[in-house]
Amino acid sequence: MIKLTDTARGITKEVSASSDGSFRFGSLTPGKYQLQVFENGELVDSQTANVGLGGTTTIVLGDASSVEEVLVTGERISQVDVGIAESGMVMSADQLMELPVARDLTSVTLLAPSVSRGDTAFGNNASFAGASVAENVSYINGLNTTNFRNGLGFSEVPFEFYDSIQVKTGGYSAKFGRSTGGVMNATSKSGTNEFQFGTSVYFDKDISTSPNTYAADNDKDAFEESNYNVYASGAIIEDRLFFYGLYNHSVEDEEYFGMTSGRGYKAKRETDFWGMKLDGYITENHRVELTAFSDERETIEGAYEYDSATETVGAYLGDTTIARGGLNWIATYTGNLTDTMTLSVSYGENEADRTTAPATANIPVVYTVDAAGSFTALGNWTNFSVEQGIDNREMARVDFSWDLNDHFIEVGIDQEVNTSSADTINSGGVYWLRDPSGTYACDTSNYCPGTPVVRKRTYMSGGEFETVSSAFYIQDTWDITDTLSFQAGLRNETFDNKNANGQSFIKVEDQWAPRLSVVLDPTGAGNQKVFANWGTYYLPIASNTNIRMSGAETYIHEYFEWDGVTENADRTPGNVGALVGTDTFSNGSVPDTRGLVDTNIEPMYQSEFILGYEYIMDNGIALGVKGLYRNLETSIEDVAIDAAVIDYYNSTGTWDAGMADGTVEEVFSGFHQYVLTNPGNDMTIFIPEMDEYIDLSADQLLYPEAKRQYGALEFTFDRPFDGKWSLNASYTWGHSWGNNEGYVRSDNGQDDAGLTTNFDQPGLLDGGYGDLPNDRRHTVKAFGTYAFDMGLRVGANFMWQTGRPKNCFGVHPTDSFAAQYGQESFYCDGELVPRASLGRTDNYWNLDMNAQYPVAFGNGQELLVSLDLFNILDNDSVTEVNELNNTNFGLPTSYQSPRSVRLGARYDF
């Protein structure tokens, strides 16, 4: 008989070993356990074991015995995880507290190999193995907290709420989906029989600034944050019902000023986070848990006039209130139905506010642009867009496992109903672009007279949009021999995106995703493994696509003659002349769903292959090498079909000008119909004007196939903490190439997931194949800690990385439709400049360090004081440059973060 006792909660489980001496404990909560073997009622062996998050291993207890999800510590054992072929890392809350790491989930993921920081236009997000920053998924206690509107970010949770964070960079099983990037899978802290209480306070401040750019007066930047936490845990009913609770209050103050925009901003963000976890054990084999937290936060951003020449802050223009976050909760039942069968059932909700409400919402947006393409804001408006919106996810999941000795079978189903409500308009209902030189607002060969011109944009969109995402999976882990295991999984996913009228406009079914892996212990000693993994991964269509493509959107550009000087009191252009042209992208009606999606469309998916080897030396040092290859096999993009439709009807002669009220060229003027499709393939699409489906060939459409590939070779070194020091290091050679970065586009900072300009016109792809923005050829990472005998502990976190590929974007000289997008083509001064052909930004390296000192008091109380210094040498490598073909071409637009400090104090009772 095998007995397993949760030492913190007093819960005991017993199982019988099979005929070959093997046994398995499944669905264990992370924590410390006592594992005992009894024979004829006598204790014959005992070990202390720590249950980790998402891992398996083999241990030895008198006879060979297998325990699921148990990572054993102690002198007897030094083993690799021979039960799994996933790539990534697991970090406990205690480990993270000892490292100089910014207190956010993205910074934790950046510790893992093949993970790089994304473009600053998308905020603080990470790119996994060449994928765009909008292709990741994040869970906490099984609740998906990912931003499903555009994939950028997730619910924000303080560090004190986390117990452990698992970063999956590849090879994850059929249990996980909805990602072609990476998975962040976290668990929260839980209570035990021992009552614990604590409080902590942290203060962060930038103590340096980045160099100025042509657009930003960085030497006037300021940032500081105060962060206060109170937490408690314990037993409500001893051995049966436990709680953990946290309250966090944080305040961020930030100032930043523009060189060319004529604006300065002072922002204050306040967060009142609360979180709780309840764990109830009905019996030893049946438990329920409830996790709930609120990450509601509000930013008040004040706008000011700013004169960069004199560095003078001028008149206050008004505040913009930005509301984010919401209430999140998940309830889960887990039952060990028998010694071999386990059932888990979950239901939860995730909420995120998307409201941006400027006090100056009635004042129109006005910009002026010079011949060099530099924009300056005019007037007293404070925020470009006014938006009211909220996202709500309802999820349900059932998982069942069955242990059949050599086979461990897992099956499950899950469904998410994601609803986005949106009401967006430009401030004042209009955006005026003043172009005194007549060179930027529109292409001179079409509308502009070559003299001063103004462009008036009318934009509004709104509605409620639902996406239903469902999946089921089956997975078998087959222990073929004591040293060879094989894991075969199959996942099927369905995505159903609906328009503002509740009609499905794109429904992608039968997305079969096989996942295969094999793990070999070549010697049987448990200290090394060879592993291989192959699988496919699908990405759902973001609800942003529902809003932009299938809502009641109005998007119109009107171009007027102008004297180049006259303006009204609100800085809008005065003495506006004749209308010289109109581009209607959307007319305000809900479009016919049949004209939005190619009937031949295939789902977006990626294939992945991993081959690796790990070895643990007798002293506990783990060495590893791994090869990784990813290929985005199919991509879904929106493409303009106007040129192809013109060619089709002119070649067939079937256009009826009476039905469409105009010639085919007059109706399909370049931007009339955008369609979701797989670029590079033939298309069957409905033409509303002719009330018919037509077939357009790939030759007529002229779009290349969307391609993205990533290859990497990783070398890792891990020396666990032995009471004195630890070190984790990695080197990654990685290469990301193709013509499609993915869901979002770093080239122009566009966060319209799945609807970027990349494939909007064929000419925009000319010269577009090459190294992609997330290509970082060489990366070295290292982090670790050292403990002095008198209690002082120091830590360091280092990264060195090669720069990002550079491009030149200008106006297309021959494709008139592409030319009207402005500086979006790989042409400069009429010459083709292929993607990534202009070298790279600076090599980047950064060193963070910290020190912690504990002061012990009686009754187990401790005060821990800490000091963290980030970018301790104040390096200022250029991370991004202006890639538009104007007078500022090639100049820096972003530097690495300047030196900052964090002071902390934590008191535990």
Side-chain angles (χ1 to χ4, degrees):
M1 187 265 292
I2 313 298
K3 182 178 181 180
L4 188 70
T5 302
D6 184 335
T7 58
R9 300 176 182 89
I11 306 299
T12 297
K13 295 183 178 184
E14 296 180 356
V15 299
S16 298
S18 63
S19 58
D20 63 357
S22 66
F23 57 92
R24 185 188 299 268
F25 287 100
S27 301
L28 300 175
T29 59
K32 183 178 288 187
Y33 289 79
Q34 183 183 25
L35 193 63
Q36 297 172 301
V37 178
F38 291 87
E39 185 175 350
N40 297 323
E42 296 292 328
L43 178 66
V44 297
D45 203 353
S46 177
Q47 283 196 32
T48 297
N50 287 326
V51 173
L53 177 61
T56 65
T57 193
T58 299
I59 68 171
V60 177
L61 288 167
D63 58 355
S65 304
S66 168
V67 178
E68 185 200 3
E69 297 188 30
V70 174
L71 176 63
V72 176
T73 60
E75 295 180 356
R76 298 194 206 179
I77 209 73
S78 178
Q79 295 184 318
V80 297
D81 189 347
V82 296
I84 194 169
E86 289 183 346
S87 300
M89 68 175 192
V90 178
M91 298 290 291
S92 70
D94 290 340
Q95 288 175 296
L96 292 172
M97 291 294 293
E98 294 167 355
L99 291 173
V101 178
R103 297 167 61 81
D104 61 78
L105 188 55
T106 295
S107 296
V108 177
T109 67
L110 290 172
L111 297 174
S114 286
V115 182
S116 298
R117 190 177 299 277
D119 192 285
T120 56
F122 307 127
N124 185 26
N125 288 286
S127 165
F128 284 70
S132 80
V133 296
E135 299 172 36
N136 308 319
V137 65
S138 173
Y139 295 91
I140 182 164
N141 289 348
L143 178 67
N144 187 352
T145 66
T146 313
N147 172 4
F148 61 80
R149 184 168 294 207
N150 60 13
L152 294 173
F154 29 78
S155 299
E156 295 191 8
V157 175
F159 259 32
E160 280 72 17
F161 199 60
Y162 289 122
D163 181 64
S164 57
I165 298 172
Q166 181 183 35
V167 181
K168 298 173 181 284
T169 58
Y172 35 94
S173 72
K175 293 180 182 179
F176 294 91
R178 303 182 180 95
S179 168
T180 48
V183 176
M184 292 155 281
N185 184 35
T187 59
S188 69
K189 289 186 172 71
S190 299
T192 67
N193 278 326
E194 180 183 1
F195 178 77
Q196 294 180 315
F197 174 78
T199 183
S200 63
V201 61
Y202 297 93
F203 178 76
D204 293 73
K205 183 180 179 63
D206 285 354
I207 55 177
S208 181
T209 59
S210 300
N212 291 339
T213 69
Y214 69 89
D217 207 350
N218 291 331
D219 61 12
K220 289 184 67 66
D221 286 355
F223 175 84
E224 64 180 39
E225 177 187 7
S226 59
N227 195 305
Y228 176 72
N229 302 276
V230 178
Y231 41 89
S233 65
I236 300 173
I237 301 175
E238 190 173 358
D239 293 344
R240 281 292 177 261
L241 182 60
F242 310 91
F243 78 93
Y244 175 85
L246 168 72
Y247 171 75
N248 165 272
H249 178 72
S250 67
V251 178
E252 294 181 10
D253 290 289
E254 186 175 11
E255 297 182 14
Y256 44 97
F257 301 86
M259 285 277 202
T260 58
S261 67
R263 295 290 175 91
Y265 297 91
K266 298 180 181 181
K268 177 185 289 289
R269 189 180 94 156
E270 288 197 63
T271 303
D272 284 292
F273 176 96
W274 62 264
M276 54 86 66
K277 173 80 181 301
L278 294 176
D279 294 272
Y281 289 79
I282 304 169
T283 70
E284 286 80 358
N285 291 314
H286 299 273
R287 74 175 188 268
V288 292
E289 56 184 85
L290 172 66
T291 305
F293 64 88
S294 171
D295 66 337
E296 290 184 5
R297 54 198 184 275
E298 185 177 83
T299 301
I300 306 296
E301 183 182 67
Y304 298 80
E305 292 181 348
Y306 178 68
D307 185 345
S308 61
T310 61
E311 296 190 350
T312 301
V313 179
Y316 165 71
L317 302 176
D319 287 338
T320 296
T321 301
I322 303 168
R324 296 293 184 264
L327 178 64
N328 304 265
W329 67 273
I330 183 172
T332 300
Y333 159 77
T334 303
N336 299 114
L337 306 182
T338 69
D339 285 351
T340 60
M341 295 183 182
T342 301
L343 175 68
S344 175
V345 181
S346 299
Y347 179 84
E349 295 188 19
N350 163 242
E351 184 180 75
D353 201 336
R354 305 291 179 198
T355 298
T356 301
T360 57
N362 61 329
I363 301 177
V365 176
V366 185
Y367 271 100
T368 186
V369 61
D370 60 24
S374 294
F375 285 71
T376 300
L378 303 175
N380 293 332
W381 61 276
T382 59
N383 206 78
F384 189 89
S385 294
V386 180
E387 180 176 2
Q388 290 185 332
I390 195 166
D391 291 341
N392 183 266
R393 171 189 281 111
E394 298 178 46
M395 61 80 65
R397 183 180 181 107
V398 179
D399 297 275
F400 175 79
S401 64
W402 191 10
D403 184 6
L404 298 174
N405 292 328
D406 292 339
H407 292 268
F408 185 67
I409 308 295
E410 298 169 281
V411 297
I413 58 173
D414 75 86
Q415 183 180 77
E416 293 185 359
V417 179
N418 301 331
T419 304
S420 291
S421 64
D423 184 6
T424 304
I425 192 171
N426 293 140
S427 182
V430 64
Y431 162 33
W432 289 97
L433 180 60
R434 295 167 34 172
D435 187 1
S437 64
T439 59
Y440 189 89
C442 57
D443 179 46
T444 57
S445 64
N446 289 276
Y447 302 140
C448 294
T451 56
V453 67
V454 292
R455 186 189 72 195
K456 177 185 178 183
R457 176 187 294 174
T458 302
Y459 178 82
M460 62 185 69
S461 67
E464 187 171 280
F465 307 85
E466 184 180 275
T467 299
V468 180
S469 173
S470 56
F472 64 86
Y473 75 89
I474 182 170
Q475 187 154 297
D476 176 23
T477 301
W478 178 22
D479 295 327
I480 302 173
T481 69
D482 290 341
T483 60
L484 179 65
S485 66
F486 178 69
Q487 192 174 77
L490 186 62
R491 183 179 178 89
N492 179 277
E493 295 181 311
T494 296
F495 308 129
D496 186 3
N497 292 61
K498 301 179 181 181
N499 67 6
N501 292 334
Q503 302 167 318
S504 295
F505 80 92
I506 179 168
K507 185 174 183 179
V508 184
E509 300 178 287
D510 293 330
Q511 300 176 85
W512 293 100
R515 313 276 174 88
L516 304 175
S517 64
V518 61
V519 181
L520 172 67
D521 180 355
T523 65
N527 63 346
Q528 56 185 309
K529 72 175 180 181
V530 179
F531 60 96
N533 183 288
W534 173 82
T536 59
Y537 303 83
Y538 288 86
L539 191 68
I541 295 172
S543 68
N544 173 73
T545 302
N546 305 38
I547 298 169
R548 290 294 312 277
M549 287 198 74
S550 69
E553 181 180 81
T554 298
Y555 191 175
I556 300 172
H557 280 172
E558 296 174 281
Y559 303 88
F560 299 89
E561 294 178 346
W562 180 47
D563 63 15
V565 177
T566 306
E567 63 179 32
N568 300 315
D570 58 3
R571 308 301 299 272
T572 58
N575 197 23
V576 174
L579 176 70
V580 295
T582 301
D583 286 331
T584 301
F585 303 100
S586 306
N587 63 9
S589 61
V590 176
D592 190 323
T593 58
R594 296 173 296 176
L596 296 175
V597 181
D598 173 12
T599 62
N600 302 327
I601 197 168
E602 296 292 334
M604 180 174 176
Y605 78 98
Q606 176 174 268
S607 64
E608 178 185 72
F609 179 75
I610 299 172
L611 179 64
Y613 171 77
E614 292 181 15
Y615 172 67
I616 293 187
M617 303 167 64
D618 291 340
N619 58 7
I621 293 176
L623 305 174
V625 60
K626 181 182 72 178
L628 167 66
Y629 174 73
R630 284 180 167 184
N631 184 29
L632 189 62
E633 303 283 355
T634 303
S635 183
I636 294 178
E637 300 287 338
D638 72 316
V639 305
I641 64 170
D642 293 40
V645 170
I646 292 171
D647 180 75
Y648 174 86
Y649 281 107
N650 283 339
S651 61
T652 61
T654 57
W655 180 263
D656 187 338
M659 290 181 64
D661 196 24
T663 66
V664 64
E665 288 83 2
E666 289 171 336
V667 175
F668 287 84
S669 58
F671 320 99
H672 177 66
Q673 189 167 349
Y674 289 81
V675 176
L676 285 178
T677 187
N678 310 122
N681 294 342
D682 297 341
M683 176 190 298
T684 300
I685 189 62
F686 183 76
I687 306 298
E689 289 77 13
M690 294 292 104
D691 193 29
E692 66 176 352
Y693 283 92
I694 66 172
D695 295 321
L696 300 176
S697 69
D699 290 338
Q700 286 175 312
L701 290 162
L702 295 176
Y703 290 100
E705 185 179 355
K707 300 293 276 183
R708 184 184 75 200
Q709 298 177 81
Y710 178 80
L713 188 62
E714 298 176 3
F715 298 89
T716 57
F717 172 97
D718 184 23
R719 185 189 190 279
F721 186 69
D722 62 353
K724 196 68 176 177
W725 65 281
S726 68
L727 176 64
N728 183 295
S730 66
Y731 164 75
T732 302
W733 177 93
H735 186 199
S736 177
W737 71 99
N739 60 8
N740 180 32
E741 179 183 352
Y743 242 12
V744 294
R745 186 177 183 187
S746 299
D747 293 331
N748 59 4
Q750 191 176 5
D751 63 2
D752 280 329
L755 299 176
T756 67
T757 60
N758 199 30
F759 279 83
D760 278 5
Q761 298 290 343
L764 299 176
L765 277 302
D766 292 345
Y769 192 89
D771 295 338
L772 293 168
N774 293 312
D775 178 56
R776 301 291 191 273
R777 200 59 55 87
H778 303 280
T779 303
V780 176
K781 298 180 181 182
F783 56 89
T785 59
Y786 184 87
F788 292 90
D789 293 339
M790 78 291 202
L792 178 67
R793 191 160 180 165
V794 296
N797 182 16
F798 171 83
M799 184 173 76
W800 178 90
Q801 191 171 57
T802 49
R804 164 178 166 172
K806 295 192 293 187
N807 304 290
C808 182
F809 295 102
V811 178
H812 201 292
T814 58
D815 185 332
S816 61
F817 292 162
Q820 292 184 56
Y821 278 75
Q823 294 179 315
E824 290 281 348
S825 301
F826 290 91
Y827 281 89
C828 287
D829 301 321
E831 298 294 327
L832 185 67
V833 182
R835 176 183 286 280
S837 60
L838 298 179
R840 292 177 178 263
T841 60
D842 294 346
N843 292 339
Y844 166 103
W845 70 274
N846 188 83
L847 176 63
D848 305 327
M849 298 191 71
N850 74 340
Q852 297 181 335
Y853 188 77
V855 180
F857 297 91
N859 300 321
Q861 300 180 30
E862 182 182 86
L863 172 67
L864 181 69
V865 293
S866 60
L867 169 67
D868 297 73
L869 283 172
F870 301 96
N871 189 7
I872 190 169
L873 298 180
D874 202 22
N875 292 347
D876 57 4
S877 299
V878 175
T879 57
E880 298 167 25
V881 299
N882 175 36
E883 297 180 311
L884 299 180
N885 184 29
N886 55 36
T887 56
N888 296 315
F889 172 72
L891 296 180
T893 59
S894 181
Y895 294 88
Q896 73 183 96
S897 299
R899 181 192 291 134
S900 64
V901 63
R902 180 173 70 210
L903 301 174
R906 174 180 169 182
Y907 195 82
D908 290 314
F909 296 83

